[in-house]
Amino acid sequence: MRVNQMIRKKKSFYVICLDASLIIGAIIFKIFYSDIMRFLPECFYASRGLPCGSCGGTRCIYNLLTGNIVEAFRLNQFFFIAFCYLGIIFILVHLAWVFGIEHTEKPLKALANYKAVIVFGVGYLFFSLWRFF
């Protein structure tokens, strides 16, 4: 029993560190959005008039952070879905690791594994091809 408590405390520490870095990153992104956009190179495809799979992704995340959900979905549907998916995993990790709720372990294992990464990779490939045509 004592080992499980140590493991849970260690996982909780990692989650809290991740939370802090995500919050700081989101604040920096929100404050310096226009400065960041000046330094990012223009998309190779967008400069030729072709939308790629990630075109509008940065603006999608910015709109999600500012609460403009409809505009975020309009800009890039894949990034919107991926952001919501990661948000669900984020909540499940907190419920399982920080608060110790046992019923969240199964959904977390089902959503956060290598198969999910493959599905998202294939989904992104199809989404990118769909935007080209």
Side-chain angles (χ1 to χ4, degrees), residues 42-58:
E42 186 177 1
C43 176
F44 173 79
Y45 298 107
S47 64
R48 286 151 180 76
L50 299 169
C52 70
S54 62
C55 282
T58 307

PDB file of all heavy atoms in Angstrom, residues 42-58:
ATOM      1  N   GLU A  42       6.103  31.544 -43.362  1.00  0.00           N
ATOM      2  CA  GLU A  42       4.843  31.312 -44.061  1.00  0.00           C
ATOM      3  C   GLU A  42       4.817  29.875 -44.568  1.00  0.00           C
ATOM      4  O   GLU A  42       5.827  29.313 -44.975  1.00  0.00           O
ATOM      5  CB  GLU A  42       4.703  32.272 -45.237  1.00  0.00           C
ATOM      6  CG  GLU A  42       3.370  32.190 -45.916  1.00  0.00           C
ATOM      7  CD  GLU A  42       3.223  33.201 -47.031  1.00  0.00           C
ATOM      8  OE1 GLU A  42       4.158  33.945 -47.297  1.00  0.00           O
ATOM      9  OE2 GLU A  42       2.143  33.217 -47.634  1.00  0.00           O
ATOM     10  N   CYS A  43       3.658  29.285 -44.522  1.00  0.00           N
ATOM     11  CA  CYS A  43       3.483  27.901 -44.961  1.00  0.00           C
ATOM     12  C   CYS A  43       3.820  27.784 -46.453  1.00  0.00           C
ATOM     13  O   CYS A  43       3.397  28.603 -47.270  1.00  0.00           O
ATOM     14  CB  CYS A  43       2.042  27.473 -44.693  1.00  0.00           C
ATOM     15  SG  CYS A  43       1.660  25.807 -45.288  1.00  0.00           S
ATOM     16  N   PHE A  44       4.568  26.764 -46.804  1.00  0.00           N
ATOM     17  CA  PHE A  44       4.968  26.521 -48.189  1.00  0.00           C
ATOM     18  C   PHE A  44       3.750  26.359 -49.087  1.00  0.00           C
ATOM     19  O   PHE A  44       3.690  26.894 -50.187  1.00  0.00           O
ATOM     20  CB  PHE A  44       5.858  25.270 -48.249  1.00  0.00           C
ATOM     21  CG  PHE A  44       6.204  24.834 -49.638  1.00  0.00           C
ATOM     22  CD1 PHE A  44       7.200  25.493 -50.354  1.00  0.00           C
ATOM     23  CD2 PHE A  44       5.545  23.777 -50.237  1.00  0.00           C
ATOM     24  CE1 PHE A  44       7.527  25.099 -51.636  1.00  0.00           C
ATOM     25  CE2 PHE A  44       5.861  23.380 -51.512  1.00  0.00           C
ATOM     26  CZ  PHE A  44       6.860  24.039 -52.214  1.00  0.00           C
ATOM     27  N   TYR A  45       2.752  25.613 -48.610  1.00  0.00           N
ATOM     28  CA  TYR A  45       1.557  25.371 -49.420  1.00  0.00           C
ATOM     29  C   TYR A  45       0.664  26.602 -49.489  1.00  0.00           C
ATOM     30  O   TYR A  45       0.108  26.913 -50.539  1.00  0.00           O
ATOM     31  CB  TYR A  45       0.770  24.183 -48.858  1.00  0.00           C
ATOM     32  CG  TYR A  45       1.546  22.894 -48.893  1.00  0.00           C
ATOM     33  CD1 TYR A  45       2.057  22.344 -47.729  1.00  0.00           C
ATOM     34  CD2 TYR A  45       1.785  22.237 -50.085  1.00  0.00           C
ATOM     35  CE1 TYR A  45       2.780  21.164 -47.757  1.00  0.00           C
ATOM     36  CE2 TYR A  45       2.511  21.061 -50.124  1.00  0.00           C
ATOM     37  CZ  TYR A  45       3.003  20.526 -48.955  1.00  0.00           C
ATOM     38  OH  TYR A  45       3.716  19.374 -48.994  1.00  0.00           O
ATOM     39  N   ALA A  46       0.510  27.283 -48.366  1.00  0.00           N
ATOM     40  CA  ALA A  46      -0.357  28.463 -48.345  1.00  0.00           C
ATOM     41  C   ALA A  46       0.189  29.564 -49.242  1.00  0.00           C
ATOM     42  O   ALA A  46      -0.580  30.319 -49.837  1.00  0.00           O
ATOM     43  CB  ALA A  46      -0.510  28.978 -46.920  1.00  0.00           C
ATOM     44  N   SER A  47       1.515  29.667 -49.350  1.00  0.00           N
ATOM     45  CA  SER A  47       2.089  30.687 -50.222  1.00  0.00           C
ATOM     46  C   SER A  47       1.793  30.396 -51.691  1.00  0.00           C
ATOM     47  O   SER A  47       1.873  31.273 -52.524  1.00  0.00           O
ATOM     48  CB  SER A  47       3.598  30.797 -49.995  1.00  0.00           C
ATOM     49  OG  SER A  47       4.244  29.596 -50.361  1.00  0.00           O
ATOM     50  N   ARG A  48       1.417  29.160 -52.011  1.00  0.00           N
ATOM     51  CA  ARG A  48       1.058  28.779 -53.371  1.00  0.00           C
ATOM     52  C   ARG A  48      -0.448  28.627 -53.553  1.00  0.00           C
ATOM     53  O   ARG A  48      -0.919  28.119 -54.559  1.00  0.00           O
ATOM     54  CB  ARG A  48       1.768  27.489 -53.754  1.00  0.00           C
ATOM     55  CG  ARG A  48       3.247  27.752 -54.028  1.00  0.00           C
ATOM     56  CD  ARG A  48       4.098  26.569 -53.726  1.00  0.00           C
ATOM     57  NE  ARG A  48       5.503  26.831 -53.984  1.00  0.00           N
ATOM     58  CZ  ARG A  48       6.295  27.539 -53.223  1.00  0.00           C
ATOM     59  NH1 ARG A  48       5.831  28.121 -52.157  1.00  0.00           N
ATOM     60  NH2 ARG A  48       7.574  27.702 -53.509  1.00  0.00           N
ATOM     61  N   GLY A  49      -1.213  29.029 -52.537  1.00  0.00           N
ATOM     62  CA  GLY A  49      -2.667  29.004 -52.630  1.00  0.00           C
ATOM     63  C   GLY A  49      -3.311  27.668 -52.303  1.00  0.00           C
ATOM     64  O   GLY A  49      -4.487  27.470 -52.572  1.00  0.00           O
ATOM     65  N   LEU A  50      -2.558  26.744 -51.725  1.00  0.00           N
ATOM     66  CA  LEU A  50      -3.094  25.431 -51.368  1.00  0.00           C
ATOM     67  C   LEU A  50      -3.166  25.312 -49.840  1.00  0.00           C
ATOM     68  O   LEU A  50      -2.168  25.503 -49.167  1.00  0.00           O
ATOM     69  CB  LEU A  50      -2.198  24.311 -51.904  1.00  0.00           C
ATOM     70  CG  LEU A  50      -2.010  24.243 -53.406  1.00  0.00           C
ATOM     71  CD1 LEU A  50      -0.909  23.265 -53.756  1.00  0.00           C
ATOM     72  CD2 LEU A  50      -3.303  23.827 -54.072  1.00  0.00           C
ATOM     73  N   PRO A  51      -4.313  24.998 -49.285  1.00  0.00           N
ATOM     74  CA  PRO A  51      -4.386  24.828 -47.836  1.00  0.00           C
ATOM     75  C   PRO A  51      -3.839  23.461 -47.423  1.00  0.00           C
ATOM     76  O   PRO A  51      -4.203  22.449 -47.994  1.00  0.00           O
ATOM     77  CB  PRO A  51      -5.884  24.923 -47.538  1.00  0.00           C
ATOM     78  CG  PRO A  51      -6.536  24.468 -48.791  1.00  0.00           C
ATOM     79  CD  PRO A  51      -5.620  24.877 -49.920  1.00  0.00           C
ATOM     80  N   CYS A  52      -2.958  23.448 -46.454  1.00  0.00           N
ATOM     81  CA  CYS A  52      -2.439  22.173 -45.944  1.00  0.00           C
ATOM     82  C   CYS A  52      -3.246  21.761 -44.711  1.00  0.00           C
ATOM     83  O   CYS A  52      -4.140  22.476 -44.276  1.00  0.00           O
ATOM     84  CB  CYS A  52      -0.955  22.286 -45.613  1.00  0.00           C
ATOM     85  SG  CYS A  52      -0.575  23.306 -44.188  1.00  0.00           S
ATOM     86  N   GLY A  53      -2.914  20.610 -44.143  1.00  0.00           N
ATOM     87  CA  GLY A  53      -3.654  20.098 -42.999  1.00  0.00           C
ATOM     88  C   GLY A  53      -3.526  20.941 -41.748  1.00  0.00           C
ATOM     89  O   GLY A  53      -4.388  20.917 -40.880  1.00  0.00           O
ATOM     90  N   SER A  54      -2.456  21.712 -41.646  1.00  0.00           N
ATOM     91  CA  SER A  54      -2.273  22.522 -40.439  1.00  0.00           C
ATOM     92  C   SER A  54      -2.553  24.005 -40.665  1.00  0.00           C
ATOM     93  O   SER A  54      -2.402  24.793 -39.733  1.00  0.00           O
ATOM     94  CB  SER A  54      -0.853  22.333 -39.895  1.00  0.00           C
ATOM     95  OG  SER A  54       0.099  22.766 -40.840  1.00  0.00           O
ATOM     96  N   CYS A  55      -2.956  24.395 -41.860  1.00  0.00           N
ATOM     97  CA  CYS A  55      -3.292  25.794 -42.099  1.00  0.00           C
ATOM     98  C   CYS A  55      -4.450  26.209 -41.193  1.00  0.00           C
ATOM     99  O   CYS A  55      -5.476  25.540 -41.143  1.00  0.00           O
ATOM    100  CB  CYS A  55      -3.676  26.017 -43.558  1.00  0.00           C
ATOM    101  SG  CYS A  55      -2.261  26.112 -44.668  1.00  0.00           S
ATOM    102  N   GLY A  56      -4.264  27.271 -40.472  1.00  0.00           N
ATOM    103  CA  GLY A  56      -5.273  27.759 -39.540  1.00  0.00           C
ATOM    104  C   GLY A  56      -5.171  27.140 -38.164  1.00  0.00           C
ATOM    105  O   GLY A  56      -5.949  27.463 -37.277  1.00  0.00           O
ATOM    106  N   GLY A  57      -4.215  26.232 -37.961  1.00  0.00           N
ATOM    107  CA  GLY A  57      -4.078  25.551 -36.675  1.00  0.00           C
ATOM    108  C   GLY A  57      -3.693  26.482 -35.536  1.00  0.00           C
ATOM    109  O   GLY A  57      -4.262  26.391 -34.438  1.00  0.00           O
ATOM    110  N   THR A  58      -2.759  27.371 -35.777  1.00  0.00           N
ATOM    111  CA  THR A  58      -2.332  28.298 -34.731  1.00  0.00           C
ATOM    112  C   THR A  58      -3.464  29.250 -34.365  1.00  0.00           C
ATOM    113  O   THR A  58      -3.735  29.486 -33.187  1.00  0.00           O
ATOM    114  CB  THR A  58      -1.105  29.106 -35.202  1.00  0.00           C
ATOM    115  OG1 THR A  58      -0.102  28.192 -35.653  1.00  0.00           O
ATOM    116  CG2 THR A  58      -0.545  29.954 -34.081  1.00  0.00           C
TER     117      THR A  58
END
